[in-house]
Amino acid sequence: MATKIKSVFFCQSCGYESSKWMGQCPGCREWNTFVEEAVKATPKSSSKTSGGIGGSAAGEYSKPMTLAEIVMNDEDRADTRIGELNRVLGGGLVRGSLILVGGDPGIGKSTLLLQVAGNLSKDKREILYISGEESLRQIKLRANRIGEFSDSLKFMCETNLSNIEEAIVRTKPEIIIIDSIQTMFNESVSSAPGSVSQVRESTAVLLRIAKSMNISVFIVGHVTKEGQVAGPRVLEHMVDTVLYFEGDRHASYRILRAVKNRFGSTNEIGVFEMQEKGLVEVANPSEFMLDGRPENASGSVVTCSVEGTRPILIEVQALVTHTNFGFPRRQANGTDYNRVNLLMAVLEKRIGLQLGDFDAYVNLAGGMKVAEPSLDLGICLAIISSFRNKPISDDVVAFGEVGLSGEVRSVSQAESRVQEAHKLGFKTCIVPKALESKLKSTCKGIVIIGVSSVADAMKVI
Ligand code: TYD
Ligand code: MG
C-alpha cells in the first residue's frame, strides 16, 4: 500500500490541527505555537490505536453485554502508601488506568513516581520504570536518596516504543511508569519525539497496552511554555486521570491537583513538601500555609477555601500604596486578576473607598492558587485594612462571596470551614449572614458573626 506523506500544522500547546500555518491558535489562543509535522496520509493503524480503548483487533466482533455480565473484582485499587496521592486518585490506583502526571520541569514528577514505584514494589507488585530522560545511574542516585526498594521494581532506559512494548509483553508488569512521554517515539510516525503526532500516537499505544493487558500506566508530561515540545494538554482527553503538579519550584511545598478523574472526584488536592529524602506528605496544609504569618500587620486576613473535600486556611495579603505614575498598577498572585479588579470596583462604588490613585497588590501567602469565590470577603477586608493601615485582629477568619452590590453571599461547606478555623485556634469567624444561625447552632467554641455586606464586615472588624 502506497503511503503519501503530507504535512499538517499542529499547535504544540493544545494539539489544534490546521492545514496552514497560523500566528494564533484558534483553539487555545496561544501565539506562535504552530509547527509543521509530516503525517502519513493513510495511517494504517491509527483508527485502531486511537479509537478509544482498542481492546480487540480490527474486524474482531465484540459482543454487547448487559451490566450483570460485566465482571468486576473489588480489589481493583492499589494502595500507593502515600495518603495524599491516594486521595487525589480517588482512593488508590485503579488497575488498568492511564494516569498523566503533568508539571513544570524540576517540580518533582520523577521523584514522586519513583517513590510510588518503591512503595508499590513493597507489596510485591511487578513494576517497570521506563526513563527516556535519565540514565540508569542517575536513577540509582535518586533512588539512594529516597530509600529502599524491592526487587520487583525494574528500570529501563528506552525511548523506542516498540522495544518498550516488547519488554512489557515479556515481563508482564502490573504497573508501568513512562518518564516522560515527550521523549518517546513510535517508528511509524515520521515527526520528531515531542511533537504532537508523536505524543499522541505514543499515548495511543500505551492506552492499548494498558487496557488490553490491564496494566496501570503513569505517564509523565512536561508542561512547556515555549512550545518546543507538545504540552500534556494534547493528551488529556485520552487518559483516565490527569494530575498536575503545582507550586513554585523554589518554594518547598508542592500541590498535586486532579483536573480529570474517571475514578474519583476532581478538585481534590494533595500537598507535599520537597525534602532531602524526596517528597513528604503535608498532613495539615492549613498550618503550613499560615506558617510565618506576620503579627499585627495591616493588609493581612485569614480566609478559608475548600479544595475538594478539604478546607484549607489561607492568608490573603494586600498592599495598597500611592501610585507614582498616572495609571495605577494592580497585581494578583494566586488568585484571579479580574476578580480582584472587580472587587476593587465594588469597594469604590459601595463603600466609597477612593482606590483610583492607589496601586494594589494582592497575594495568597504560601503560593496557593485558588479560584474559589469564598475568598472574596477576605480579599476585600485585606484591601480595606491595607488602605486604612489598620491591622485586623489575627484570630479572625473571614469567608464569603461578594456580589456586585457589595452583598456577602453564602458559600458551600461552611461548617467544615469553621471547624478548620476552630481546630487551628481561631476565635472568631466572619461568615455570610444567611449561614449565621445554622453555624451558631452547629459550631460551638468559636464566635460566629454574620454579615450581610462588606460595609457590615468593615464595622465588625
Ligand atoms: P524531579 O523529580 O527530577 O523533577 P521532574 O521530574 O518534575 O523534572 O525533581 C527535581 C527537584 O527535586 C530537583 O531540583 C532536586 C529536588 N529533589 C530534592 O530536593 N530532594 C530529593 O530527595 C530529590 C530526589 C529531588
Ligand atoms: Mg523528571
Side-chain angles (χ1 to χ4, degrees):
M1 188 172 24
T3 48
K4 206 173 96 198
I5 305 275
K6 70 167 186 172
S7 76
V8 175
F9 293 84
F10 284 107
C11 167
Q12 303 293 302
S13 136
C14 71
Y16 190 94
E17 192 176 327
S18 156
S19 58
K20 284 203 287 285
W21 186 86
M22 279 185 276
Q24 187 187 24
C25 171
C28 63
R29 311 243 146 241
E30 291 286 330
W31 289 92
N32 256 328
T33 53
F34 276 89
V35 169
E36 183 172 13
E37 287 175 25
V39 292
K40 291 205 178 90
T42 51
K44 43 201 183 324
S45 62
S46 79
S47 63
K48 194 176 85 191
T49 50
S50 58
I53 48 174
S56 54
E60 206 174 279
Y61 172 69
S62 28
K63 179 177 153 274
M65 288 203 239
T66 63
L67 279 178
E69 280 169 335
I70 301 170
V71 225
M72 214 175 79
N73 0 348
D74 270 346
E75 7 83 290
D76 265 345
R77 281 179 190 267
D79 178 10
T80 62
R81 299 200 193 182
I82 301 180
E84 298 285 300
L85 178 66
N86 282 345
R87 185 181 40 247
V88 175
L89 288 172
L93 174 63
V94 177
R95 193 92 205 251
S97 65
L98 229 75
I99 299 140
L100 171 67
V101 181
D104 294 325
I107 196 138
K109 302 179 292 296
S110 307
T111 308
L112 177 72
L113 291 182
L114 190 60
Q115 284 178 264
V116 171
N119 289 349
L120 288 166
S121 73
K122 284 177 194 146
D123 297 335
K124 295 279 163 286
R125 293 174 196 275
E126 289 294 325
I127 302 163
L128 185 56
Y129 187 110
I130 302 154
S131 177
E133 298 192 335
E134 290 163 309
S135 67
L136 291 171
R137 286 193 47 226
Q138 275 174 305
I139 295 176
K140 183 155 184 168
L141 275 175
R142 186 199 302 265
N144 286 344
R145 288 174 76 167
I146 289 176
E148 286 176 18
F149 293 86
S150 102
D151 286 343
S152 62
L153 170 61
K154 309 249 167 30
F155 296 93
M156 194 172 124
C157 285
E158 184 58 69
T159 53
N160 186 335
L161 264 173
S162 37
N163 294 349
I164 291 174
E165 193 169 355
E166 203 185 312
I168 292 170
V169 171
R170 271 204 203 146
T171 57
K172 298 205 172 47
E174 248 179 89
I175 295 146
I176 334 175
I177 294 166
I178 302 284
D179 190 1
S180 66
I181 192 69
Q182 281 119 342
T183 54
M184 299 296 151
F185 79 95
N186 189 336
E187 278 160 342
S188 65
V189 181
S190 53
S191 51
S195 63
V196 172
S197 19
Q198 275 294 2
V199 165
R200 265 194 202 153
E201 278 301 312
S202 306
T203 310
V205 171
L206 292 169
L207 181 70
R208 181 163 49 78
I209 295 172
K211 299 299 171 185
S212 62
M213 298 177 66
N214 208 13
I215 299 173
S216 313
V217 184
F218 282 100
I219 299 175
V220 171
H222 293 294
V223 172
T224 52
K225 291 208 174 63
E226 294 75 25
Q228 295 121 341
V229 290
R233 278 179 63 196
V234 172
L235 38 106
E236 274 180 2
H237 67 281
M238 300 170 79
V239 299
D240 297 310
T241 304
V242 180
L243 308 179
Y244 275 109
F245 241 132
E246 287 173 8
D248 191 355
R249 185 141 55 110
H250 308 292
S252 62
Y253 86 92
R254 308 278 191 266
I255 287 171
L256 190 67
R257 192 185 290 275
V259 292
K260 166 181 173 179
N261 195 351
R262 288 190 182 141
F263 308 109
S265 125
T266 52
N267 292 328
E268 282 292 354
I269 64 164
V271 185
F272 295 93
E273 190 183 353
M274 183 62 97
Q275 291 184 356
E276 289 284 291
K277 291 187 169 177
L279 291 157
V280 179
E281 299 172 62
V282 176
N284 197 335
S286 294
E287 243 165 54
F288 202 75
M289 292 298 152
L290 297 183
D291 196 27
R293 193 154 59 101
E295 275 171 32
N296 255 327
S298 66
S300 154
V301 178
V302 176
T303 179
C304 189
S305 146
V306 172
E307 297 287 343
T309 50
R310 191 157 55 156
I312 297 181
L313 297 180
I314 298 170
E315 181 198 351
V316 181
Q317 300 179 325
L319 183 67
V320 180
T321 58
H322 224 278
T323 182
N324 284 321
F325 306 100
F327 189 74
R329 259 182 76 108
R330 266 86 215 258
Q331 202 174 316
N333 273 342
T335 182
D336 184 21
Y337 170 79
N338 293 320
R339 189 87 200 160
V340 169
N341 269 336
L342 184 141
L343 292 173
M344 290 180 74
V346 170
L347 292 180
E348 268 202 77
K349 181 85 180 173
R350 303 295 168 193
I351 44 178
L353 224 56
Q354 293 303 320
L355 292 163
D357 294 335
F358 290 85
D359 291 344
Y361 306 89
V362 173
N363 179 33
L364 298 191
M368 278 275 290
K369 288 196 182 70
V370 183
E372 223 205 352
S374 65
L375 256 60
D376 289 357
L377 186 60
I379 295 174
C380 288
L381 293 179
I383 292 172
I384 296 169
S385 156
S386 176
F387 182 78
R388 301 252 156 102
N389 209 9
K390 291 226 174 76
I392 292 175
S393 162
D394 55 12
D395 54 10
V396 173
V397 171
F399 61 85
E401 180 178 347
V402 173
L404 288 190
S405 21
E407 83 277 20
V408 177
R409 310 171 74 107
S410 146
V411 295
S412 63
Q413 303 185 52
E415 223 178 287
S416 62
R417 295 177 206 248
V418 175
Q419 273 154 5
E420 180 78 3
H422 183 47
K423 204 168 84 189
L424 281 142
F426 285 85
K427 302 269 174 352
T428 313
C429 256
I430 301 179
V431 303
K433 191 93 191 168
L435 298 169
E436 188 182 11
S437 54
K438 190 177 142 223
L439 289 174
K440 269 189 173 152
S441 64
T442 52
C443 305
K444 303 286 176 215
I446 186 162
V447 182
I448 307 279
I449 304 173
V451 293
S452 53
S453 67
V454 180
D456 246 17
M458 223 170 82
K459 276 180 222 138
V460 171
I461 51 170

